[in-house]
Amino acid sequence: MRTHAGADLMLAADLGSFWNFEQTADLLSRTFVQQSLLALALLGLIGGLLGPMIVARQMSFAVHGAAELSFTGAAAALLLGFSVNLGGVIGAVIAAAVFGWLGNRARERDSVIGVVMAFGLGLGVLFLHLYGRTGTGFALLTGQVVSVGKSGLVAVAITAVIVVAVLAVIYRPLLFASLDPRVATAAGVPMRTLSVVFAVLVGLAAAQGVQIIGALLVMSLLITPAAAAARLTASPGRQLVLAVAFAEIAAVGGLILSLAPELPISVLVTTISFVIYLLARLFGMRARD
């Protein structure tokens, strides 16, 4: 009984520390927390920009597949002794390019992703077994945002610049190809090339998401905010703005709320994303009624 009572008191104290603004402010003054906050903000920007097109192109499963294969690449990097971030990027980009090339048609995309992902996960498990430290592998699955560091922040920033630059060039034809693929094909839009390029962008984003919030939770910033935005408006431009806003609220808010109670950041990021989605569904249903 005493044990349960002590646990209840500890839980109450932890939950009460949500409102310990002094401790939160103190932690926000630390360099490593500021780096983590900026990295999450950049990841939120990337997720918000890519998310609406991912939803429009029905690529949610591809995001999951790229994230899992990023885990495989990172595990291979651990085994071979080079940069985990670089290994994750290589794994995700190769996987995404394969998905984009072989799964250009929606009806065959899921089966291609399933086949490649199953093989890649098997390799990832083998690499971790040979490496011998399962704790590091678990960190890749659940994220390690507090240890992003300067190098990780630079990697996310470079990814953000690449995503913004490439999207600025391909956004209009990609939107055309996503909304009306038959007409786009007839008009001479390079469908497979666009598919591969966009898939590579998704792979880059997924790789950075794996490093920060983990392979299992990366969809909370790449999918959920965009899905929420799609519930509120049919305008592609408004969806883009809302998706970025929702992703930033989830990413930055999740980190800030996690500081004082010392809760896992990824849990709060995913929770905020999910709450936003539920509210968007509710308000979207009311608007239609």
Side-chain angles (χ1 to χ4, degrees), residues 67-88:
E68 300 294 348
L69 272 297
S70 175
F71 160 76
T72 301
L78 285 172
L79 181 62
L80 297 175
F82 66 94
S83 169
V84 173
N85 196 306
L86 178 59

Side-chain angles (χ1 to χ4, degrees), residues 149-279:
K150 185 176 180 180
S151 61
L153 178 57
V154 170
V156 179
I158 292 173
T159 302
V161 170
I162 292 173
V163 168
V164 171
V166 176
L167 272 184
V169 174
I170 69 170
Y171 182 78
R172 289 178 65 85
L174 184 65
L175 181 63
F176 183 23
S178 302
L179 298 180
D180 201 338
R182 291 184 179 179
V183 176
T185 301
V189 175
M191 301 291 285
R192 191 177 294 276
T193 300
L194 285 175
S195 179
V196 172
V197 170
F198 184 68
V200 169
L201 292 182
V202 171
L204 287 171
Q208 297 307 321
V210 167
Q211 301 298 318
I212 295 173
I213 59 175
L216 299 179
L217 305 172
V218 71
M219 288 191 293
S220 63
L221 290 181
L222 288 176
I223 302 297
T224 311
R231 286 282 171 176
L232 297 176
T233 179
S235 166
R238 292 175 183 172
Q239 284 185 19
L240 198 65
V241 172
L242 285 175
V244 171
F246 293 159
E248 293 293 357
I249 291 171
V252 175
L255 174 60
I256 293 175
L257 288 178
S258 71
L259 292 175
E262 299 182 6
L263 292 173
I265 295 170
S266 54
V267 173
L268 287 168
V269 171
T270 54
T271 299
I272 294 173
S273 283
F274 184 62
V275 170
I276 290 174
Y277 176 74
L278 291 180
L279 291 174

Side-chain angles (χ1 to χ4, degrees), residues 45 68 106 132 286:
L45 174 64
E68 300 294 348
R286 286 184 176 180

